[in-house]
Amino acid sequence: MTELLTPILSANWGVDKSWTLKSYLSFDGFEGAKKALKLKPEEVLEIVKESGLRGRGGAGFPTGTKWSFVPQDNPNPKYLVVNADESEPGTCKDMPLLLASPHTLLEGIVIASYAIHCHTAFVYVRGEVAHVARRLQAAVAELYAAGWLGKDIQGSGFDLDVVVHSGAGAYICGEETALLDSLEGKRGQPRLRPPFPAVAGLYASPTVINNVESISSVPCILRNGAEWFSAMGTEKSKGFTIYSLSGHVAKPGQYEAPLGTTFAQLLECAGGMRAGHELKFFTPGGSSTPILTPADVDIPMDYEGMVGAGTMLGTKALQVFDETTSIVRTTLRWSEFYAHESCGKCTPCREGTGWLVQLLKRLEAGQGHEGDVDKLLSVCDDINGLSFCALAGGAVACVTSAVKHFREEFELGYTTPAWEAFPYELSTAWAGGAK
Amino acid sequence: MSEELVTLTIDDREVSVPKGTTIIRAAESIGVYIPRFCDHPGLAPRGSCRQCLVEIPDAGNGRGFPAPQASCTMTVAPGMIVKTQMTSAKAKAAQAGIMELLLINHPLDCPICDKAGECPLQNQALLAERVESRFDGVKRRYEKPVPISSQLLLDRERCVLCARCTRFAEEIVGDPFISLCERGTHQQVGFSGEQPFESIFAGNVVQICPVGALTSVQYRFNARPFDLVSVDTTCEQCAAGCALRTDSRHGTIRRRLAGVNPEVNGEWSCDKGRFTLASVPAEQRITTPQIRENGTLRPASWPEALSAAADGLAGGYGGDAKVGVLTGGNLTKENAAAYASFAREVLHTDSIDFRTRQVSDEETAFLRQQAPQVTYADLETAARVVCVDFDPEVDAPIVFLRLFKAVTKGKLQVLALGAQPGRTWEKLRAELVSGTPKQALKELDLTVDDIILVGERAAATPGTLDTISFLRAKWAWIPSHAGDIGALEAGCLPQADGLTVNGILNAAMDGEIALLTDDIELFAAEGALAKAFTVSLANHKEGIATAADVVLPTALVEEQAGTLVNWEHRAGVVNPAIPGTLPTAAEVLARLQAVIEAYRAYTREDDADFEDYEDDDDYEADEVSGFERPEEPPAAAAPPTAAAPSEPEASDAETTSEGEEVPA
Amino acid sequence: MKEELEQIMARYPQPRSAIMPMLHLVQSYEGYVSDAGVELVAELLGLTIAQVRGVSTFYTQYRQHPAGKHHIGVCATALCAVLGGDAVYAAVSEKLGIKADETTADGLFSLERIECNAACDFAPVMMINWEFMDNMTPEKAVAILDDLAAGKPVQPERGATLTSWKENERVLAGFYDGRADEGVSAGVSSLRSTPKGGKK
């Protein structure tokens, strides 16, 4: 099924020293930027708009439209901030991209900055990846040396500086307004909107925040044209993307394919479930998206398709679990993630996620009280939609969707520990022989 | 805020409010209370507690919000329809959910918590009506309480993380020595032992904390709010003129809170005003009149003391002693006015001064021109404010808050003359100007859009006040005492050829003058006080009373009604917070006046008459003097009068004993 | 350290933005966010100590107690846990004789249960000094620890040869150490769409 795959971003991955400028240039690197610099910034923006590219960081907001929200008559400097804080559980596409080909992102930064008249761009990369920081730092240095960053880029008259900024471990900083506060040197807690970042973002100035994959998709759009891009994908979800498959599949990894590919197709590319096992449930877009079951494997995985299925495409992080897996265990671990990562600003998330964890812990241990499952859902109601930002919504989604599909397994927690019902050693990567 | 009004519907009632108003404020304007914790009218909206959720079926554009929204961060829109917990089950359920979540980790300390009885968490929890908790897990625990400054204690278990205190510290005051720390369920108010929260405004956080997480060392475990009697008054600590609320129990003030006056202090106070519960500590208070006899003070009755005072001030028979009157700046305007009229009408002197420090003729002339020119509101709209010999955070802290507010909005530039570098000026992003004030002020080229705030210390630098009075900028003189402006307005300054305080003290040193003072602090004046016959309406044992010849104690400011006029020349009402038994200064002066006048009337007119009537058994009452002639000559037991250095006369002793019959 | 802190401040339009890399630099010198480090950062940025601590305690990577020479993080989030991360953690914990948030007595290792590190297709994942140790098993993990303890070089496939947590903190502070060319371009899981590693 590999004809289905569209290795565009990943075309140069695996090549020796693919992260260097020299290697990148041999893959038509910076051809897109050269084209862009010959156009007017507004024309570049139009191309990206026409392509139909939507934000690949989870929200799926049309990228060109977001760029057009920047008020060019605002006297403050304009900023581009690349969100490389990839922390949504299951999401693992941006880090490999930055390791293998940081220049893909940087070329996209040059083009995007040019389009929105930005002269200082930031890459906010999560801190727990030292080697990614190295590759980015080295790539930026190469570009300054080669005249692709700094003053008067390639003689175009356009100036651009790029600052690589390492985070320090906070999932919430992947939320765009929390990222801005973090980048300003404060605690990374989300901000009130309005004002929106496009008008008052970093340092109260117009700012565009985009995901790594979104900006990395811009060079090929400039190289090959908006039509080439929009010919792929579905009517409302144009283009290609990187689907990340992990868990109980034979070949976990990054699968670049047009939007609208189904889970069944991707699973086939990934060699199916590991031998002798069956699909139990999977997440379409990370732990914050309601889980799906074998009934949903043929739904096109684009933004609208997933919403229609009662979930979200999110970051296209497909975590796949087979029948050896205890749903109670996974829900508990995800809930512990949210409780640990809650920024603490608002009551429902700060207090509610902790309560959910306490309830799930005793269900996992087989010590749940009668009525705990309903209580779980009721607490979710007190959180959902009432919080300051969407983190709480994600925390609730994984619980409510798990209970919806596997209520009995949760109720089993009134009597039976999850590790007895689903022996934990059976779900390990090496179960049934070394990997 | 714009003048433009927006009309919306809240709980089926139409309301029109200025554009930019938040829904929660708009609801309050029609008496609809939406529960809240993080929202506070003096702080920027935060929207983090989520208690104020309301349903918005129509945002004003025909579409509603699918989920309840925080009413504290959303501004009104024309045609918006809002349903609070009063009319929407969805809003009520959402609020109840949030309340339940707030309570799951709350220690429920009410029986031992200061806030109980006036606690927004208690009140709002009861409004939400979920009586029993479904939480049967493990609550978050912290070591409690911990001191965050010498005055304040923090209980992190009770804290609901509304961040009012940290926002106050950062946004209103510029002293972020408390700041949120940690993340998620461990988020807490953090501070450093190296930099405790020793801000002059720190006490406000106790008042705005909606739970008992912040308590003051002073008030802790002191009283229950339902035992307290509250009285609104005006603060007596400085010339800012803040509204204050005193809470007393059993005749003792237990605590003081900031009162609400949007035009002066908003809802804030400073710690000087807040934590000073008694203008004179009980153990230091003089409660009966005193007379100095053989060098030591001894208690005396009112008649005796008033006589001794009258004697020393009114100069005995036939003459006026020269008297200088020093009122100090801590009087209500009524009391100051009483001193002024007493000085001129009874003592026939124009030598009266409310100042108790070295002054200059330049300052005296400057003060005679005083008129209200500047208000707090003007500080926010000025282009520049120049502080001359005036440290706002020390001399009138609430002025600092107003300046800080305008500076952080980016609208105001502050300059300082005669100032040392320091944190106050850093917070105000002030430019410190050097050179002589005279020179510097001219070079600044000030216009009518600028304001000068000049402090008392300016008197020490010749030329400053003169220069200021000729500039085009508006100016305000900000003295250090609450009663200074009132005393000035009431006439406690020489108007013709009277002596100022400098002259008065010099004359006292030379033995030429008697002194009538209030309970003032006179530095380096021991010599003058020793030489001059001094009558002091004093209350502190260790103050001027130690040098006075006659001490007449008075009611404290918290025991009387009156007016304190602030630096804006705005009158602030003083109400008695606790009952007192001593007369006010005005009342004492009235009694003294009666004694002196009777004295004079007697000695001048009736001495001769008395001799005529001496042998007349039919004489009943002397209608001229008002004296009742005794049946028999009174016993000659004349109590020894205080040593009156200027007028020792034996006949005074007899007259005094006669004078005792005059009702005090 | 002070000059380097000031260099970091100069990278940004507004110096307060530098606080995060500055704290990484403090860690690279002190092994954690020390009081002295906090005071220096506060002074340079014109912040109070409470404000700096407010930031340093918000992020998981900033430590309140010294790290070991090598900092071991075993992913405990759902997918890695289910795929064997819990077993890896148990083996590591037992081997080192410490639990999460503790450091061995000889100061060589500190241990942490970390959140999802964006390498789910290489689960179960262990990070050492924030370098990827992919596809762990209990045995592999323990073997790596043995090698480190013995001073043998350990080369992660997708990273640079392990040196120390402090040295990597310096990289996170933005001081490039010249070692970007170590490690592969991409691991096997990353190359599912281009198994031949590209056309050229």
Side-chain angles (χ1 to χ4, degrees), chain B residues 277-356:
Chain B
L277 298 186
S279 49
V280 182
E283 68 278 4
Q284 277 199 43
R285 194 175 179 185
I286 300 172
T287 52
T288 61
Q290 314 267 320
I291 292 179
R292 193 172 296 277
E293 186 175 278
N294 297 326
T296 45
L297 284 177
R298 63 143 180 99
S301 64
W302 277 100
E304 189 184 354
L306 286 168
S307 291
D311 184 30
L313 294 178
Y317 289 122
D320 287 321
K322 287 212 181 63
V323 185
V325 180
L326 296 172
T327 67
N330 286 319
L331 294 166
T332 60
K333 187 172 179 178
E334 291 77 8
N335 288 322
Y339 270 101
S341 68
F342 185 83
R344 297 195 171 88
E345 291 164 31
V346 178
L347 298 179
H348 306 133
T349 177
D350 188 43
S351 298
I352 177 171
D353 204 331
F354 68 92
R355 299 168 294 179
T356 51

Side-chain angles (χ1 to χ4, degrees), chain C residues 1-6 25-27 29-30 36-37 40:
Chain C
M1 180 165 77
K2 186 170 177 207
E3 290 84 52
E4 290 181 328
L5 289 171
E6 286 168 334
L25 190 72
V26 168
Q27 296 207 125
Y29 279 98
E30 317 256 286
L40 183 53

Side-chain angles (χ1 to χ4, degrees), chain C:
Chain C
M1 180 165 77
K2 186 170 177 207
E3 290 84 52
E4 290 181 328
L5 289 171
E6 286 168 334
Q7 278 173 40
I8 298 174
M9 286 163 68
R11 290 182 204 152
Y12 295 87
Q14 292 189 13
R16 187 173 175 169
S17 293
I19 194 173
M20 289 178 75
M22 286 164 86
L23 291 170
H24 278 302
L25 190 72
V26 168
Q27 296 207 125
S28 75
Y29 279 98
E30 317 256 286
Y32 68 116
V33 180
S34 62
D35 285 345
V38 166
E39 280 168 35
L40 183 53
V41 170
E43 188 195 314
L44 288 171
L45 294 178
L47 299 172
T48 64
I49 292 175
Q51 285 176 303
V52 175
R53 280 268 176 229
V55 171
S56 74
T57 55
F58 184 80
Y59 300 92
T60 320
Q61 275 185 298
Y62 296 134
R63 302 180 54 88
Q64 320 247 32
H65 307 285
K69 179 175 177 194
H70 298 292
H71 183 62
I72 318 294
V74 180
C75 179
T77 308
L79 188 125
C80 276
V82 164
L83 257 61
D86 285 354
V88 171
Y89 172 79
V92 168
S93 174
E94 194 190 324
K95 169 79 194 179
L96 297 178
I98 55 174
K99 297 209 266 297
D101 302 323
E102 291 176 357
T103 307
T104 55
D106 60 8
L108 199 53
F109 297 105
S110 47
L111 179 60
E112 186 185 350
R113 303 185 66 194
I114 60 176
E115 304 288 5
C116 179
N117 223 94
C120 316
D121 47 352
F122 295 94
V125 170
M126 183 167 77
M127 305 296 287
I128 302 185
N129 307 334
W130 305 119
E131 301 276 7
F132 287 111
M133 314 303 294
D134 300 323
N135 301 115
M136 285 292 105
T137 64
E139 296 74 32
K140 280 190 198 171
V142 166
I144 288 168
L145 296 176
D146 282 334
D147 283 346
L148 284 174
K152 293 192 196 148
V154 174
Q155 163 85 60
E157 189 190 30
R158 300 193 300 146
T161 309
L162 297 182
T163 50
S164 71
W165 177 85
K166 277 186 183 174
E167 283 168 79
N168 273 3
E169 278 292 312
R170 194 177 161 78
V171 172
L172 297 175
F175 291 97
Y176 177 52
D177 61 5
R179 303 173 67 204
D181 289 346
E182 292 188 35
V184 301
S185 159
V188 167
S189 296
S190 310
L191 297 170
R192 302 296 188 194
S193 304
T194 56
K196 294 187 180 63
K199 292 171 276 193
K200 296 181 193 169

